Short mmCIF file of all heavy atoms in Angstrom, two decimals:
data_model
loop_
_atom_site.label_atom_id
_atom_site.label_comp_id
_atom_site.label_asym_id
_atom_site.label_seq_id
_atom_site.Cartn_x
_atom_site.Cartn_y
_atom_site.Cartn_z
N SER A 63 9.78 22.67 -16.35
CA SER A 63 10.45 21.50 -15.71
C SER A 63 11.35 20.77 -16.81
O SER A 63 12.47 20.38 -16.50
CB SER A 63 9.46 20.47 -15.22
OG SER A 63 8.68 21.02 -14.22
N THR A 64 10.79 20.71 -18.00
CA THR A 64 11.69 20.05 -19.04
C THR A 64 12.85 20.93 -19.35
O THR A 64 13.95 20.34 -19.61
CB THR A 64 10.78 19.83 -20.37
OG1 THR A 64 9.61 19.15 -20.09
CG2 THR A 64 11.58 19.24 -21.44
N ALA A 65 12.73 22.19 -19.43
CA ALA A 65 13.87 23.09 -19.62
C ALA A 65 14.89 22.98 -18.55
O ALA A 65 16.09 22.91 -18.76
CB ALA A 65 13.42 24.54 -19.80
N ALA A 66 14.43 22.92 -17.30
CA ALA A 66 15.34 22.81 -16.11
C ALA A 66 16.07 21.52 -16.19
O ALA A 66 17.33 21.38 -15.88
CB ALA A 66 14.58 22.97 -14.81
N MET A 67 15.27 20.35 -16.51
CA MET A 67 15.94 19.05 -16.63
C MET A 67 17.02 18.99 -17.70
O MET A 67 18.05 18.44 -17.55
CB MET A 67 14.89 18.00 -16.75
CG MET A 67 14.07 17.79 -15.56
SD MET A 67 15.06 17.19 -14.19
CE MET A 67 15.57 15.58 -14.66
N ASN A 68 16.67 19.64 -18.85
CA ASN A 68 17.61 19.65 -19.99
C ASN A 68 18.89 20.43 -19.54
O ASN A 68 19.96 20.06 -19.93
CB ASN A 68 16.94 20.33 -21.20
CG ASN A 68 16.05 19.39 -21.91
OD1 ASN A 68 16.17 18.15 -21.78
ND2 ASN A 68 15.12 19.89 -22.65
N LYS A 69 18.67 21.56 -18.84
CA LYS A 69 19.83 22.30 -18.42
C LYS A 69 20.71 21.53 -17.46
O LYS A 69 21.93 21.56 -17.54
CB LYS A 69 19.38 23.63 -17.76
CG LYS A 69 20.48 24.61 -17.45
CD LYS A 69 19.96 25.84 -16.78
CE LYS A 69 19.24 26.65 -17.72
NZ LYS A 69 18.67 27.94 -17.15
N ARG A 70 20.13 20.87 -16.56
CA ARG A 70 20.88 19.95 -15.58
C ARG A 70 21.56 18.74 -16.28
O ARG A 70 22.73 18.52 -15.99
CB ARG A 70 19.96 19.45 -14.43
CG ARG A 70 19.59 20.52 -13.50
CD ARG A 70 18.79 19.92 -12.36
NE ARG A 70 18.48 21.01 -11.34
CZ ARG A 70 17.77 20.84 -10.34
NH1 ARG A 70 17.45 19.65 -9.93
NH2 ARG A 70 17.54 21.91 -9.54
N ILE A 71 20.90 18.23 -17.25
CA ILE A 71 21.52 17.11 -17.99
C ILE A 71 22.72 17.61 -18.77
O ILE A 71 23.77 16.99 -18.82
CB ILE A 71 20.47 16.47 -18.84
CG1 ILE A 71 19.51 15.57 -18.02
CG2 ILE A 71 21.15 15.60 -19.90
CD1 ILE A 71 18.28 15.12 -18.77
N GLN A 72 22.47 18.85 -19.36
CA GLN A 72 23.64 19.43 -20.07
C GLN A 72 24.83 19.64 -19.19
O GLN A 72 25.92 19.43 -19.58
CB GLN A 72 23.15 20.74 -20.81
CG GLN A 72 24.18 21.28 -21.72
CD GLN A 72 24.35 20.43 -22.98
OE1 GLN A 72 23.58 19.77 -23.37
NE2 GLN A 72 25.66 20.43 -23.39
N ASN A 73 24.52 20.24 -17.97
CA ASN A 73 25.62 20.45 -17.03
C ASN A 73 26.37 19.18 -16.59
O ASN A 73 27.56 19.10 -16.53
CB ASN A 73 25.11 21.15 -15.77
CG ASN A 73 24.68 22.61 -15.94
OD1 ASN A 73 25.13 23.20 -16.96
ND2 ASN A 73 23.86 23.14 -15.19
N PHE A 74 25.54 18.11 -16.40
CA PHE A 74 26.18 16.83 -16.05
C PHE A 74 27.00 16.30 -17.22
O PHE A 74 28.08 15.71 -16.96
CB PHE A 74 25.11 15.79 -15.67
CG PHE A 74 24.46 15.98 -14.31
CD1 PHE A 74 23.10 15.80 -14.15
CD2 PHE A 74 25.27 16.28 -13.27
CE1 PHE A 74 22.61 16.05 -12.91
CE2 PHE A 74 24.71 16.55 -11.99
CZ PHE A 74 23.31 16.38 -11.84
N THR A 75 26.53 16.46 -18.48
CA THR A 75 27.27 16.04 -19.57
C THR A 75 28.50 16.77 -19.76
O THR A 75 29.62 16.21 -20.02
CB THR A 75 26.38 16.14 -20.81
OG1 THR A 75 25.16 15.51 -20.68
CG2 THR A 75 27.10 15.67 -22.09
N ASP A 76 28.48 18.09 -19.52
CA ASP A 76 29.75 18.91 -19.57
C ASP A 76 30.69 18.41 -18.49
O ASP A 76 31.90 18.37 -18.73
CB ASP A 76 29.40 20.35 -19.45
CG ASP A 76 28.59 20.89 -20.68
OD1 ASP A 76 28.61 20.21 -21.71
OD2 ASP A 76 27.96 21.95 -20.54
N THR A 77 30.22 18.26 -17.31
CA THR A 77 31.01 17.86 -16.19
C THR A 77 31.72 16.46 -16.40
O THR A 77 32.86 16.28 -16.16
CB THR A 77 30.27 17.86 -14.89
OG1 THR A 77 29.67 19.12 -14.66
CG2 THR A 77 31.14 17.47 -13.69
N SER A 78 30.86 15.52 -16.92
CA SER A 78 31.41 14.22 -17.19
C SER A 78 32.43 14.22 -18.36
O SER A 78 33.42 13.50 -18.31
CB SER A 78 30.33 13.24 -17.54
OG SER A 78 29.71 13.59 -18.72
N GLY A 79 32.24 15.09 -19.24
CA GLY A 79 33.21 15.20 -20.34
C GLY A 79 34.50 15.77 -19.86
O GLY A 79 35.61 15.34 -20.24
N ARG A 80 34.43 16.81 -18.99
CA ARG A 80 35.64 17.36 -18.41
C ARG A 80 36.35 16.37 -17.54
O ARG A 80 37.56 16.19 -17.57
CB ARG A 80 35.33 18.67 -17.69
CG ARG A 80 35.11 19.82 -18.53
CD ARG A 80 34.90 21.06 -17.67
NE ARG A 80 33.67 21.64 -18.07
CZ ARG A 80 32.73 22.11 -17.26
NH1 ARG A 80 32.83 22.13 -15.99
NH2 ARG A 80 31.63 22.59 -17.72
N SER A 81 35.55 15.63 -16.72
CA SER A 81 36.11 14.53 -15.87
C SER A 81 36.78 13.47 -16.66
O SER A 81 37.85 12.99 -16.31
CB SER A 81 35.03 13.94 -15.04
OG SER A 81 34.41 14.94 -14.18
N GLY A 82 36.13 13.15 -17.78
CA GLY A 82 36.79 12.17 -18.68
C GLY A 82 38.10 12.58 -19.19
O GLY A 82 39.14 11.77 -19.27
N LEU A 83 38.26 13.84 -19.54
CA LEU A 83 39.51 14.41 -20.03
C LEU A 83 40.54 14.37 -18.99
O LEU A 83 41.74 13.94 -19.12
CB LEU A 83 39.31 15.81 -20.60
CG LEU A 83 38.47 15.94 -21.88
CD1 LEU A 83 38.27 17.42 -22.18
CD2 LEU A 83 39.18 15.20 -23.01
N ILE A 84 40.20 14.77 -17.72
CA ILE A 84 41.11 14.80 -16.63
C ILE A 84 41.58 13.33 -16.32
O ILE A 84 42.85 13.14 -16.15
CB ILE A 84 40.53 15.41 -15.39
CG1 ILE A 84 40.34 16.95 -15.61
CG2 ILE A 84 41.35 15.21 -14.09
CD1 ILE A 84 39.48 17.63 -14.62
N ILE A 85 40.68 12.38 -16.29
CA ILE A 85 41.12 11.02 -16.01
C ILE A 85 41.98 10.50 -17.21
O ILE A 85 42.98 9.78 -16.76
CB ILE A 85 39.83 10.15 -15.87
CG1 ILE A 85 39.09 10.50 -14.54
CG2 ILE A 85 40.17 8.68 -15.81
CD1 ILE A 85 37.73 9.87 -14.33
N ASN A 86 41.70 10.79 -18.35
CA ASN A 86 42.62 10.37 -19.45
C ASN A 86 44.03 11.00 -19.29
O ASN A 86 44.98 10.22 -19.52
CB ASN A 86 42.00 10.74 -20.82
CG ASN A 86 40.88 9.86 -21.22
OD1 ASN A 86 40.72 8.67 -20.73
ND2 ASN A 86 40.01 10.37 -22.06
N ASP A 87 44.04 12.26 -18.87
CA ASP A 87 45.35 12.85 -18.62
C ASP A 87 46.11 12.17 -17.58
O ASP A 87 47.35 11.92 -17.57
CB ASP A 87 45.20 14.37 -18.36
CG ASP A 87 44.82 15.18 -19.58
OD1 ASP A 87 45.03 14.62 -20.68
OD2 ASP A 87 44.31 16.27 -19.43
N ILE A 88 45.38 11.85 -16.42
CA ILE A 88 46.05 11.20 -15.28
C ILE A 88 46.58 9.82 -15.62
O ILE A 88 47.68 9.47 -15.35
CB ILE A 88 45.03 11.11 -14.10
CG1 ILE A 88 44.74 12.51 -13.55
CG2 ILE A 88 45.55 10.15 -13.03
CD1 ILE A 88 43.65 12.50 -12.44
N ILE A 89 45.75 9.11 -16.43
CA ILE A 89 46.15 7.72 -16.80
C ILE A 89 47.36 7.73 -17.78
O ILE A 89 48.33 7.03 -17.65
CB ILE A 89 44.98 6.98 -17.46
CG1 ILE A 89 44.00 6.62 -16.43
CG2 ILE A 89 45.46 5.69 -18.20
CD1 ILE A 89 42.67 6.01 -16.93
N ASP A 90 47.32 8.74 -18.68
CA ASP A 90 48.47 8.96 -19.50
C ASP A 90 49.77 9.26 -18.74
O ASP A 90 50.87 8.78 -18.99
CB ASP A 90 48.22 10.07 -20.64
CG ASP A 90 47.25 9.58 -21.61
OD1 ASP A 90 47.08 8.36 -21.80
OD2 ASP A 90 46.62 10.51 -22.24
N ASN A 91 49.60 10.10 -17.72
CA ASN A 91 50.80 10.46 -16.89
C ASN A 91 51.23 9.33 -16.09
O ASN A 91 52.49 9.06 -15.90
CB ASN A 91 50.45 11.67 -16.01
CG ASN A 91 50.31 12.94 -16.80
OD1 ASN A 91 50.86 13.14 -17.87
ND2 ASN A 91 49.52 13.88 -16.30
N ILE A 92 50.31 8.47 -15.52
CA ILE A 92 50.67 7.28 -14.83
C ILE A 92 51.46 6.33 -15.65
O ILE A 92 52.45 5.66 -15.21
CB ILE A 92 49.48 6.63 -14.22
CG1 ILE A 92 48.91 7.43 -13.03
CG2 ILE A 92 49.78 5.20 -13.69
CD1 ILE A 92 47.58 6.98 -12.52
N GLN A 93 51.10 6.22 -16.98
CA GLN A 93 51.79 5.35 -17.90
C GLN A 93 53.25 5.73 -18.06
O GLN A 93 54.10 4.90 -18.31
CB GLN A 93 51.10 5.23 -19.19
CG GLN A 93 49.82 4.54 -19.21
CD GLN A 93 49.07 4.55 -20.51
OE1 GLN A 93 49.46 5.28 -21.43
NE2 GLN A 93 47.98 3.87 -20.68
N TYR A 94 53.44 7.06 -17.99
CA TYR A 94 54.81 7.52 -18.17
C TYR A 94 55.70 7.37 -16.83
O TYR A 94 56.83 7.08 -16.96
CB TYR A 94 54.89 9.02 -18.57
CG TYR A 94 54.34 9.21 -19.98
CD1 TYR A 94 53.32 10.11 -20.25
CD2 TYR A 94 54.93 8.63 -21.01
CE1 TYR A 94 52.82 10.37 -21.48
CE2 TYR A 94 54.51 8.86 -22.35
CZ TYR A 94 53.40 9.72 -22.57
OH TYR A 94 52.93 9.96 -23.82
N PHE A 95 55.06 7.58 -15.77
CA PHE A 95 55.74 7.56 -14.50
C PHE A 95 55.89 6.19 -13.81
O PHE A 95 56.67 5.97 -12.94
CB PHE A 95 55.18 8.58 -13.50
CG PHE A 95 55.46 9.96 -13.87
CD1 PHE A 95 54.34 10.79 -14.22
CD2 PHE A 95 56.68 10.45 -13.91
CE1 PHE A 95 54.60 12.13 -14.63
CE2 PHE A 95 56.95 11.79 -14.35
CZ PHE A 95 55.87 12.66 -14.64
N ALA A 96 54.99 5.22 -14.19
CA ALA A 96 54.93 3.89 -13.54
C ALA A 96 56.22 3.16 -13.71
O ALA A 96 56.71 2.61 -12.72
CB ALA A 96 53.73 3.11 -14.06
N PRO A 97 56.78 3.11 -14.93
CA PRO A 97 58.06 2.38 -14.98
C PRO A 97 59.22 2.97 -14.13
O PRO A 97 59.99 2.24 -13.53
CB PRO A 97 58.42 2.42 -16.48
CG PRO A 97 57.17 2.73 -17.16
CD PRO A 97 56.34 3.56 -16.23
N LEU A 98 59.19 4.24 -14.07
CA LEU A 98 60.18 4.92 -13.20
C LEU A 98 59.93 4.61 -11.73
O LEU A 98 60.98 4.43 -10.93
CB LEU A 98 60.22 6.45 -13.49
CG LEU A 98 60.60 6.92 -14.86
CD1 LEU A 98 60.44 8.43 -14.99
CD2 LEU A 98 62.01 6.54 -15.18
N ALA A 99 58.74 4.72 -11.31
CA ALA A 99 58.41 4.42 -9.97
C ALA A 99 58.64 2.95 -9.55
O ALA A 99 59.07 2.72 -8.40
CB ALA A 99 56.90 4.76 -9.70
N MET A 100 58.48 1.99 -10.42
CA MET A 100 58.76 0.64 -10.16
C MET A 100 60.21 0.33 -9.88
O MET A 100 60.55 -0.67 -9.24
CB MET A 100 58.20 -0.29 -11.20
CG MET A 100 56.72 -0.23 -11.39
SD MET A 100 55.82 -0.73 -9.83
CE MET A 100 56.16 -2.38 -9.77
N LYS A 101 61.09 1.28 -10.30
CA LYS A 101 62.56 1.00 -10.07
C LYS A 101 63.00 1.46 -8.70
O LYS A 101 64.10 1.17 -8.38
CB LYS A 101 63.27 1.76 -11.18
CG LYS A 101 63.14 1.11 -12.58
CD LYS A 101 63.93 1.85 -13.61
CE LYS A 101 63.71 1.28 -15.00
NZ LYS A 101 64.47 2.09 -16.04
N LEU A 102 62.10 2.08 -8.00
CA LEU A 102 62.43 2.58 -6.62
C LEU A 102 62.65 1.35 -5.68
O LEU A 102 62.00 0.32 -5.91
CB LEU A 102 61.35 3.41 -6.07
CG LEU A 102 61.22 4.81 -6.71
CD1 LEU A 102 60.04 5.48 -6.19
CD2 LEU A 102 62.53 5.67 -6.59
N PRO A 103 63.61 1.43 -4.73
CA PRO A 103 63.92 0.32 -3.87
C PRO A 103 62.69 -0.09 -2.98
O PRO A 103 62.62 -1.09 -2.45
CB PRO A 103 65.09 0.87 -3.00
CG PRO A 103 65.44 2.13 -3.49
CD PRO A 103 64.52 2.54 -4.62
N VAL A 104 61.81 0.87 -2.74
CA VAL A 104 60.65 0.61 -1.87
C VAL A 104 59.85 -0.51 -2.45
O VAL A 104 59.40 -1.43 -1.80
CB VAL A 104 59.82 1.91 -1.66
CG1 VAL A 104 58.53 1.55 -0.91
CG2 VAL A 104 60.62 2.99 -0.97
N PHE A 105 59.64 -0.50 -3.82
CA PHE A 105 58.77 -1.53 -4.38
C PHE A 105 59.46 -2.85 -4.44
O PHE A 105 58.88 -3.97 -4.31
CB PHE A 105 58.44 -1.08 -5.85
CG PHE A 105 57.45 0.03 -5.92
CD1 PHE A 105 57.79 1.33 -6.24
CD2 PHE A 105 56.13 -0.16 -5.53
CE1 PHE A 105 56.89 2.34 -6.18
CE2 PHE A 105 55.19 0.83 -5.59
CZ PHE A 105 55.61 2.10 -5.90
N HIS A 106 60.79 -2.87 -4.54
CA HIS A 106 61.55 -4.14 -4.45
C HIS A 106 61.32 -4.75 -3.08
O HIS A 106 61.09 -5.95 -2.94
CB HIS A 106 63.03 -3.93 -4.75
CG HIS A 106 63.31 -3.66 -6.22
ND1 HIS A 106 63.12 -4.59 -7.15
CD2 HIS A 106 63.73 -2.48 -6.81
CE1 HIS A 106 63.48 -4.05 -8.32
NE2 HIS A 106 63.86 -2.82 -8.16
N SER A 107 61.52 -3.97 -2.05
CA SER A 107 61.33 -4.42 -0.65
C SER A 107 59.91 -4.88 -0.48
O SER A 107 59.64 -5.91 0.21
CB SER A 107 61.58 -3.27 0.32
OG SER A 107 62.98 -2.80 0.19
N LEU A 108 58.90 -4.14 -0.95
CA LEU A 108 57.47 -4.54 -0.85
C LEU A 108 57.26 -5.81 -1.54
O LEU A 108 56.53 -6.71 -1.02
CB LEU A 108 56.62 -3.36 -1.42
CG LEU A 108 55.09 -3.56 -1.25
CD1 LEU A 108 54.65 -3.64 0.15
CD2 LEU A 108 54.40 -2.53 -2.03
N LYS A 109 57.88 -6.07 -2.70
CA LYS A 109 57.75 -7.31 -3.44
C LYS A 109 58.30 -8.50 -2.61
O LYS A 109 57.65 -9.52 -2.53
CB LYS A 109 58.43 -7.16 -4.78
CG LYS A 109 58.17 -8.38 -5.68
CD LYS A 109 58.63 -8.09 -7.07
CE LYS A 109 60.09 -8.52 -7.26
NZ LYS A 109 60.56 -8.38 -8.58
N ASN A 110 59.44 -8.26 -1.96
CA ASN A 110 60.02 -9.33 -1.13
C ASN A 110 59.18 -9.59 0.15
O ASN A 110 58.97 -10.77 0.51
CB ASN A 110 61.40 -8.92 -0.65
CG ASN A 110 62.40 -8.88 -1.85
OD1 ASN A 110 62.14 -9.59 -2.78
ND2 ASN A 110 63.46 -8.11 -1.77
N VAL A 111 58.54 -8.57 0.74
CA VAL A 111 57.76 -8.70 1.87
C VAL A 111 56.50 -9.51 1.53
O VAL A 111 56.06 -10.37 2.23
CB VAL A 111 57.38 -7.35 2.54
CG1 VAL A 111 56.27 -7.57 3.53
CG2 VAL A 111 58.59 -6.72 3.08
N ILE A 112 55.96 -9.19 0.43
CA ILE A 112 54.66 -9.97 -0.10
C ILE A 112 55.02 -11.46 -0.35
O ILE A 112 54.25 -12.31 0.10
CB ILE A 112 54.14 -9.27 -1.31
CG1 ILE A 112 53.58 -7.94 -0.95
CG2 ILE A 112 53.03 -10.19 -1.94
CD1 ILE A 112 53.04 -7.12 -2.12
N ALA A 113 56.25 -11.67 -0.92
CA ALA A 113 56.56 -13.11 -1.10
C ALA A 113 56.83 -13.78 0.19
O ALA A 113 56.43 -15.02 0.33
CB ALA A 113 57.83 -13.12 -1.96
N ILE A 114 57.41 -13.14 1.21
CA ILE A 114 57.55 -13.81 2.47
C ILE A 114 56.24 -14.07 3.22
O ILE A 114 56.11 -15.21 3.70
CB ILE A 114 58.59 -12.87 3.39
CG1 ILE A 114 59.94 -12.83 2.80
CG2 ILE A 114 58.47 -13.36 4.81
CD1 ILE A 114 60.78 -11.79 3.50
N VAL A 115 55.34 -13.12 3.05
CA VAL A 115 54.02 -13.30 3.77
C VAL A 115 53.30 -14.55 3.04
O VAL A 115 52.70 -15.39 3.75
CB VAL A 115 53.12 -12.03 3.68
CG1 VAL A 115 51.71 -12.32 3.98
CG2 VAL A 115 53.77 -11.03 4.55
N LYS A 116 53.36 -14.61 1.72
CA LYS A 116 52.73 -15.74 1.07
C LYS A 116 53.39 -17.08 1.44
O LYS A 116 52.71 -18.12 1.69
CB LYS A 116 52.86 -15.59 -0.47
CG LYS A 116 51.84 -14.55 -1.00
CD LYS A 116 51.93 -14.52 -2.45
CE LYS A 116 51.06 -13.50 -3.14
NZ LYS A 116 51.14 -13.38 -4.55
N GLY A 117 54.71 -17.07 1.53
CA GLY A 117 55.36 -18.30 1.96
C GLY A 117 55.08 -18.75 3.46
O GLY A 117 54.87 -19.83 3.65
N MET A 118 54.94 -17.76 4.25
CA MET A 118 54.53 -18.08 5.61
C MET A 118 53.15 -18.56 5.68
O MET A 118 52.87 -19.46 6.45
CB MET A 118 54.60 -16.81 6.53
CG MET A 118 55.98 -16.23 6.70
SD MET A 118 56.98 -16.93 7.95
CE MET A 118 56.08 -16.41 9.43
N ARG A 119 52.20 -18.06 4.96
CA ARG A 119 50.81 -18.48 4.92
C ARG A 119 50.76 -19.95 4.40
O ARG A 119 50.09 -20.82 5.03
CB ARG A 119 49.95 -17.57 3.99
CG ARG A 119 48.48 -17.93 4.09
CD ARG A 119 47.62 -16.95 3.38
NE ARG A 119 48.23 -16.47 2.18
CZ ARG A 119 47.75 -16.72 0.91
NH1 ARG A 119 46.60 -17.39 0.85
NH2 ARG A 119 48.26 -16.20 -0.09
N VAL A 120 51.51 -20.26 3.32
CA VAL A 120 51.43 -21.60 2.84
C VAL A 120 52.11 -22.55 3.89
O VAL A 120 51.65 -23.70 4.12
CB VAL A 120 52.30 -21.72 1.47
CG1 VAL A 120 52.52 -23.12 1.11
CG2 VAL A 120 51.52 -20.95 0.47
N PHE A 121 53.24 -22.18 4.53
CA PHE A 121 53.82 -23.03 5.59
C PHE A 121 52.82 -23.26 6.76
O PHE A 121 52.71 -24.41 7.16
CB PHE A 121 55.01 -22.31 6.10
CG PHE A 121 55.68 -22.98 7.18
CD1 PHE A 121 56.40 -24.18 6.99
CD2 PHE A 121 55.60 -22.49 8.49
CE1 PHE A 121 56.99 -24.82 8.10
CE2 PHE A 121 56.16 -23.23 9.63
CZ PHE A 121 56.88 -24.34 9.35
N MET A 122 52.07 -22.19 7.10
CA MET A 122 51.17 -22.41 8.24
C MET A 122 49.99 -23.32 7.82
O MET A 122 49.54 -24.09 8.63
CB MET A 122 50.61 -21.05 8.73
CG MET A 122 51.76 -20.23 9.41
SD MET A 122 52.45 -21.01 10.83
CE MET A 122 51.17 -20.98 11.88
N ASP A 123 49.54 -23.17 6.66
CA ASP A 123 48.45 -23.97 6.13
C ASP A 123 48.91 -25.50 6.08
O ASP A 123 48.14 -26.42 6.53
CB ASP A 123 48.00 -23.54 4.70
CG ASP A 123 47.25 -22.33 4.72
OD1 ASP A 123 46.65 -21.94 5.80
OD2 ASP A 123 47.04 -21.72 3.70
N VAL A 124 50.13 -25.80 5.65
CA VAL A 124 50.57 -27.07 5.63
C VAL A 124 50.83 -27.64 7.02
O VAL A 124 50.55 -28.76 7.35
CB VAL A 124 51.84 -27.21 4.77
CG1 VAL A 124 52.50 -28.57 4.91
CG2 VAL A 124 51.55 -26.85 3.32
#
Side-chain angles (χ1 to χ4, degrees):
S63 298
T64 304
M67 289 300 291
N68 283 337
K69 190 180 288 185
R70 287 187 179 179
I71 289 171
Q72 188 65 34
N73 288 340
F74 287 138
T75 303
D76 292 342
T77 304
S78 67
R80 283 187 234 134
S81 299
L83 292 175
I84 291 171
I85 290 171
N86 284 338
D87 287 342
I88 291 171
I89 290 173
D90 288 340
N91 290 334
I92 288 174
Q93 288 176 354
Y94 291 125
F95 291 114
L98 296 174
M100 292 304 288
K101 291 181 181 178
L102 293 173
V104 172
F105 288 106
H106 289 292
S107 299
L108 184 64
K109 188 168 90 173
N110 291 337
V111 168
I112 291 174
I114 291 171
V115 168
K116 283 183 181 179
M118 296 275 293
R119 186 170 41 112
V120 169
F121 175 75
M122 292 303 290
D123 285 343
V124 170

